[in-house]
Amino acid sequence: MDWSSDEDSIYTMINKPRGIASIVYMTDDDPKYGEKNRQWLKEMWEGLDFQVIEVNNPNKDELTHHLEHWKSEIGRSPSKHDCFSFSFIGHGGIKNGEEYFLLRNQEEYKFIDLYAKFSAPLCPGLAGKPKLFILQACRGAQNGISVELFTSASPSSIATDMSDYFILQPCFIGYKSYFNSQNGQSPFIETVKDVFLGEYRDNDVQTMATNITRKISNNTPLLKDGKSQTTTITTTLRKALYFDGIRGGILPRFKSIHLGASNNVKKSKDNRKTFKDDTTSNKVDTKKVNADEKDFLCKCGLQAKQRLSKQDDENKGRVFYRCSKSKGMQCDFIHWGNKLMCKCSTPALKLVTSKGGNKGRVFFQCSNTHKNCRFFRWEDSILE
């Protein structure tokens, strides 16, 4: 496999923390509209290995100082920051064709001024690196409506001044964004959190954003209230962005070695040492496994997460599927499977690293030598 081409087309995400996640939330009008959504964002960014910095109710000068401070921090040690994210929870609008969000004392802060601060010339520490913006704010005063559908069956190596941006907003330009009037919760923020935390080990940011757009457009509570919302994606990313830190340059440097007894070793076509699987001597029908197990939905309607049991009983090392939400918010869905499957419905290969800071760490990757689907997971990241 030509790993060099992957490194050229995928952002490097190897640092811990990945970078700064700034969360700005406004609670002047009503505290309930910021608190729960702030908690969701904090849980999400921490779960994705970002250093979270929170700012409550800043005015324009305070926000400018905050942004300039972290720009300077990144500039002093750019190699420690793979990414930057900025999240906002509050109100916004559009005036004379320019979008803005509202800070303390109703001060307006233009979106374009925010983006420009992190352009390559003004923030060289982030040049060529992804910059993510999740902005929970109205973009106008128009209400969205829903309709019933009747349907029939060479990435560049040069970073331009405004490249490597990814902006996710809850509504189309000119439209309102909605909160739950009873508890202040944002369906947009909740969906972003659930999808990012539930899918980041398998999907890139663009794929997850598409899934967020679909889920928001099908949001049942909004539709029952006669409302609709169309999440908007604006991107100048030049590469695929994965939060799991695997596809961004770590995997190519691994050398896989055998974990079991010598009489269990066999050679694959690409000369890697692998397990001879003695724990499932009966052949597994991969098509049946894929159909029956791979796409389970939990009771929340989310794709269930694949885990390995580490309990010291007859199920030790066995795959099971459960709700992908964080602890304390999970439903009680659980389903037991047979063995870990990669994206192309092939039993995953179990290997161990032999060099570097992850020496001795066990991982799984795709075993299909003809069509590798890039599946990769650390064993300790999926152990329950």
Side-chain angles (χ1 to χ4, degrees), residues 174-188:
Y175 284 78
K176 291 181 179 179
S177 172
Y178 299 108
F179 289 89
N180 184 313
S181 58
Q182 302 299 316
N183 56 29
Q185 295 176 3
S186 161
F188 168 69

Side-chain angles (χ1 to χ4, degrees), residues 10 13 200 202-204 240-245 247 343 374:
I10 299 173
M13 297 284 282
Y200 78 94
D202 298 314
N203 293 331
D204 68 319
L241 173 59
Y242 292 89
F243 285 128
D244 66 1
R247 299 167 179 86
K343 294 180 182 179
R374 295 185 182 177

Side-chain angles (χ1 to χ4, degrees), residues 328-343:
M329 302 182 70
Q330 294 171 324
C331 66
D332 59 359
F333 174 85
I334 188 170
H335 177 84
W336 288 97
N338 292 312
K339 59 192 302 184
L340 197 67
M341 308 296 291
C342 66
K343 294 180 182 179

Side-chain angles (χ1 to χ4, degrees), residues 1 77 88 102 120 129 159 172 194 241 262 309 312 323 359 364 371 374 380 384:
M1 180 177 290
S77 53
F88 177 81
L102 289 173
K129 300 177 182 180
F172 202 75
D194 286 344
L241 173 59
S262 58
S309 174
D312 194 15
C323 179
K359 183 178 180 181
F364 293 87
K371 186 180 179 181
R374 295 185 182 177
D380 52 26
E384 181 58 19

Side-chain angles (χ1 to χ4, degrees), residues 161-176:
D161 57 346
M162 297 301 289
S163 65
D164 309 293
Y165 281 74
F166 187 86
I167 304 164
L168 195 58
Q169 293 169 274
C171 54
F172 202 75
I173 187 169
Y175 284 78
K176 291 181 179 179

Side-chain angles (χ1 to χ4, degrees), residues 209-355:
T210 301
N211 293 339
I212 290 166
T213 301
R214 183 182 68 255
K215 290 175 182 290
I216 288 292
S217 66
N218 294 330
N219 185 281
T220 301
L222 283 177
L223 295 175
K224 284 184 177 179
D225 290 340
K227 302 173 181 176
S228 71
Q229 199 165 302
T230 305
T231 300
T232 305
I233 306 164
T234 305
T235 178
T236 59
L237 294 180
R238 299 169 300 116
K239 307 177 184 182
L241 173 59
Y242 292 89
F243 285 128
D244 66 1
I246 301 304
R247 299 167 179 86
I250 296 180
L251 185 57
R253 295 194 290 272
F254 284 159
K255 180 180 178 182
S256 303
I257 63 172
H258 168 60
L259 278 175
S262 58
N263 61 348
N264 287 336
V265 178
K266 63 178 179 180
K267 289 287 187 73
S268 62
K269 291 183 179 179
D270 58 356
N271 206 35
R272 289 177 300 185
K273 293 182 178 180
T274 70
F275 275 117
K276 180 178 179 182
D277 192 350
D278 292 335
T279 61
T280 54
S281 55
N282 295 325
K283 290 185 177 180
V284 178
D285 186 341
T286 58
K287 291 183 178 180
K288 185 176 186 304
V289 170
N290 180 52
D292 291 347
E293 298 179 358
K294 193 173 191 280
D295 297 319
F296 277 121
L297 296 181
C298 69
K299 296 179 181 178
C300 305
L302 301 175
Q303 184 171 346
K305 185 178 293 185
Q306 219 177 177
R307 295 283 193 183
L308 290 176
S309 174
K310 66 175 182 180
Q311 295 185 18
D312 194 15
D313 56 22
E314 69 277 6
N315 288 318
K316 187 174 183 179
R318 188 179 172 192
V319 170
F320 66 96
Y321 298 76
R322 67 173 305 166
C323 179
S324 60
K325 288 187 177 181
S326 55
K327 288 185 177 180
M329 302 182 70
Q330 294 171 324
C331 66
D332 59 359
F333 174 85
I334 188 170
H335 177 84
W336 288 97
N338 292 312
K339 59 192 302 184
L340 197 67
M341 308 296 291
C342 66
K343 294 180 182 179
C344 58
S345 307
T346 306
L349 200 63
K350 188 175 183 181
L351 303 165
V352 66
T353 59
S354 61
K355 292 183 178 180

